[in-house]
Amino acid sequence: YKEVEGGICAPKGFAAAGVHCGIRANHSEKYDLALIKADVRCAAAGVYTTNKVCGAPIKVDRAHLTDGYAQAIVVNSGNANTCAANGVALAEECCELVGKALNIDAKDVLPSSTGVIGQPMVIDPFARGIPAAAAKLAADAQRPRAKGSMTIGGAITPVAEGRTTLAAKFSALPPRSHPSSARPTPLAAQAVAL
């Protein structure tokens, strides 16, 4: 692969934005929500964790990708939306908010979350952040989008080759069974080819 300037917005027809909306309550200066949108529906695929425990966004992504297409990705940091009682409903509601803000089908939105596992989540920060990010969408927004998705455990890494762009999110922590090991073990992986 070849890394190109502009990241996810390098190919024509992509826009991105990042905002702080209160998901990371202890970091008011850090963006905690990012939105990536393609001008048209794109062929898409996902690569996921093999762990039996996975975040609600992975379950929603799998359902939304059954037709092989997507048009937007919404990413939050600060809360992994994993092992949360309302996780799937919240991920679906986030997709509805993105769909409404961008005037696209909610099934063409892929949610992604990274952060603390097992914490409750509410829709309020998303209800503020998604419209704000949608209003800021720009083709030159590489820096804000990257800032919005960075966490201790992962970040979106854009890579472009030819006409295909790959946006991937990896969350990793050291393996618990080998505390002395410095090599991280992937806990979750999502990839969307746009």
Short mmCIF file of all heavy atoms in Angstrom, two decimals, residues 42-48 61 65 68-70 110 166-167 190-194:
data_model
loop_
_atom_site.label_atom_id
_atom_site.label_comp_id
_atom_site.label_asym_id
_atom_site.label_seq_id
_atom_site.Cartn_x
_atom_site.Cartn_y
_atom_site.Cartn_z
N CYS A 42 -20.97 3.47 -1.28
CA CYS A 42 -19.75 2.79 -1.72
C CYS A 42 -19.80 1.31 -1.37
O CYS A 42 -20.40 0.93 -0.36
CB CYS A 42 -18.54 3.38 -1.00
SG CYS A 42 -18.36 5.15 -1.19
N ALA A 43 -19.14 0.50 -2.16
CA ALA A 43 -18.97 -0.90 -1.80
C ALA A 43 -18.19 -0.93 -0.49
O ALA A 43 -17.24 -0.18 -0.30
CB ALA A 43 -18.21 -1.64 -2.89
N ALA A 44 -18.62 -1.76 0.45
CA ALA A 44 -18.01 -1.79 1.77
C ALA A 44 -17.92 -3.21 2.30
O ALA A 44 -18.71 -4.07 1.91
CB ALA A 44 -18.81 -0.92 2.74
N ALA A 45 -16.96 -3.44 3.17
CA ALA A 45 -16.78 -4.74 3.81
C ALA A 45 -16.25 -4.51 5.21
O ALA A 45 -15.73 -3.45 5.51
CB ALA A 45 -15.80 -5.61 3.01
N GLY A 46 -16.39 -5.48 6.07
CA GLY A 46 -15.92 -5.35 7.44
C GLY A 46 -15.05 -6.52 7.85
O GLY A 46 -15.24 -7.65 7.38
N VAL A 47 -14.10 -6.24 8.70
CA VAL A 47 -13.25 -7.26 9.32
C VAL A 47 -13.41 -7.06 10.82
O VAL A 47 -13.19 -5.96 11.31
CB VAL A 47 -11.77 -7.11 8.90
CG1 VAL A 47 -10.92 -8.16 9.59
CG2 VAL A 47 -11.63 -7.18 7.40
N TYR A 48 -13.77 -8.11 11.53
CA TYR A 48 -14.13 -7.94 12.94
C TYR A 48 -13.35 -8.86 13.85
O TYR A 48 -12.73 -9.82 13.41
CB TYR A 48 -15.63 -8.23 13.11
CG TYR A 48 -16.49 -7.41 12.19
CD1 TYR A 48 -17.08 -7.99 11.06
CD2 TYR A 48 -16.69 -6.06 12.42
CE1 TYR A 48 -17.86 -7.23 10.21
CE2 TYR A 48 -17.47 -5.30 11.57
CZ TYR A 48 -18.05 -5.89 10.47
OH TYR A 48 -18.82 -5.15 9.63
N ASP A 61 -22.78 -2.83 12.65
CA ASP A 61 -22.05 -2.83 11.37
C ASP A 61 -22.35 -4.09 10.57
O ASP A 61 -22.59 -4.02 9.36
CB ASP A 61 -20.54 -2.76 11.60
CG ASP A 61 -20.06 -1.37 11.97
OD1 ASP A 61 -20.86 -0.42 11.97
OD2 ASP A 61 -18.87 -1.24 12.25
N LEU A 65 -24.05 -4.00 6.88
CA LEU A 65 -23.23 -4.37 5.73
C LEU A 65 -23.75 -5.59 4.96
O LEU A 65 -23.09 -6.05 4.04
CB LEU A 65 -21.79 -4.62 6.17
CG LEU A 65 -20.97 -3.37 6.44
CD1 LEU A 65 -19.61 -3.74 7.02
CD2 LEU A 65 -20.80 -2.55 5.18
N GLY A 68 -23.62 -4.94 1.43
CA GLY A 68 -22.29 -4.63 0.89
C GLY A 68 -22.04 -3.16 0.58
O GLY A 68 -21.09 -2.84 -0.13
N TYR A 69 -22.88 -2.26 1.12
CA TYR A 69 -22.72 -0.83 0.85
C TYR A 69 -22.77 0.00 2.12
O TYR A 69 -23.43 -0.38 3.09
CB TYR A 69 -23.80 -0.33 -0.11
CG TYR A 69 -23.60 -0.82 -1.51
CD1 TYR A 69 -24.16 -2.02 -1.93
CD2 TYR A 69 -22.83 -0.09 -2.42
CE1 TYR A 69 -23.97 -2.48 -3.22
CE2 TYR A 69 -22.63 -0.55 -3.71
CZ TYR A 69 -23.20 -1.74 -4.10
OH TYR A 69 -23.00 -2.19 -5.37
N ALA A 70 -22.10 1.15 2.09
CA ALA A 70 -22.15 2.13 3.18
C ALA A 70 -21.87 3.50 2.59
O ALA A 70 -21.32 3.62 1.48
CB ALA A 70 -21.13 1.79 4.26
N LEU A 110 -22.18 3.34 9.38
CA LEU A 110 -21.47 2.35 10.19
C LEU A 110 -20.95 3.03 11.46
O LEU A 110 -20.15 3.95 11.38
CB LEU A 110 -20.30 1.76 9.41
CG LEU A 110 -20.67 1.12 8.07
CD1 LEU A 110 -19.42 0.63 7.36
CD2 LEU A 110 -21.65 -0.03 8.28
N LEU A 166 -9.09 2.70 2.48
CA LEU A 166 -9.37 1.82 3.60
C LEU A 166 -9.31 2.63 4.88
O LEU A 166 -8.30 3.27 5.16
CB LEU A 166 -8.33 0.69 3.65
CG LEU A 166 -8.47 -0.32 4.77
CD1 LEU A 166 -9.73 -1.15 4.55
CD2 LEU A 166 -7.26 -1.22 4.80
N ALA A 167 -10.39 2.64 5.63
CA ALA A 167 -10.40 3.28 6.94
C ALA A 167 -10.53 2.17 7.96
O ALA A 167 -11.45 1.38 7.90
CB ALA A 167 -11.58 4.24 7.05
N GLN A 190 -12.09 -3.11 12.98
CA GLN A 190 -13.12 -2.82 12.00
C GLN A 190 -12.45 -2.20 10.80
O GLN A 190 -11.56 -1.39 10.94
CB GLN A 190 -14.14 -1.83 12.55
CG GLN A 190 -15.02 -2.40 13.62
CD GLN A 190 -15.97 -1.36 14.14
OE1 GLN A 190 -15.58 -0.57 14.95
NE2 GLN A 190 -17.19 -1.37 13.65
N ALA A 191 -12.87 -2.59 9.64
CA ALA A 191 -12.32 -1.99 8.43
C ALA A 191 -13.45 -1.79 7.44
O ALA A 191 -14.33 -2.63 7.33
CB ALA A 191 -11.26 -2.88 7.82
N VAL A 192 -13.44 -0.68 6.77
CA VAL A 192 -14.46 -0.38 5.79
C VAL A 192 -13.77 0.08 4.53
O VAL A 192 -13.05 1.07 4.55
CB VAL A 192 -15.41 0.72 6.29
CG1 VAL A 192 -16.48 0.98 5.25
CG2 VAL A 192 -16.02 0.31 7.61
N ALA A 193 -13.95 -0.63 3.45
CA ALA A 193 -13.38 -0.21 2.17
C ALA A 193 -14.37 0.72 1.50
O ALA A 193 -15.52 0.35 1.31
CB ALA A 193 -13.10 -1.43 1.30
N LEU A 194 -13.95 1.92 1.22
CA LEU A 194 -14.82 2.91 0.59
C LEU A 194 -14.27 3.33 -0.76
O LEU A 194 -13.12 3.48 -0.92
CB LEU A 194 -14.96 4.15 1.48
CG LEU A 194 -15.51 3.88 2.87
CD1 LEU A 194 -15.41 5.13 3.71
CD2 LEU A 194 -16.95 3.44 2.81
#
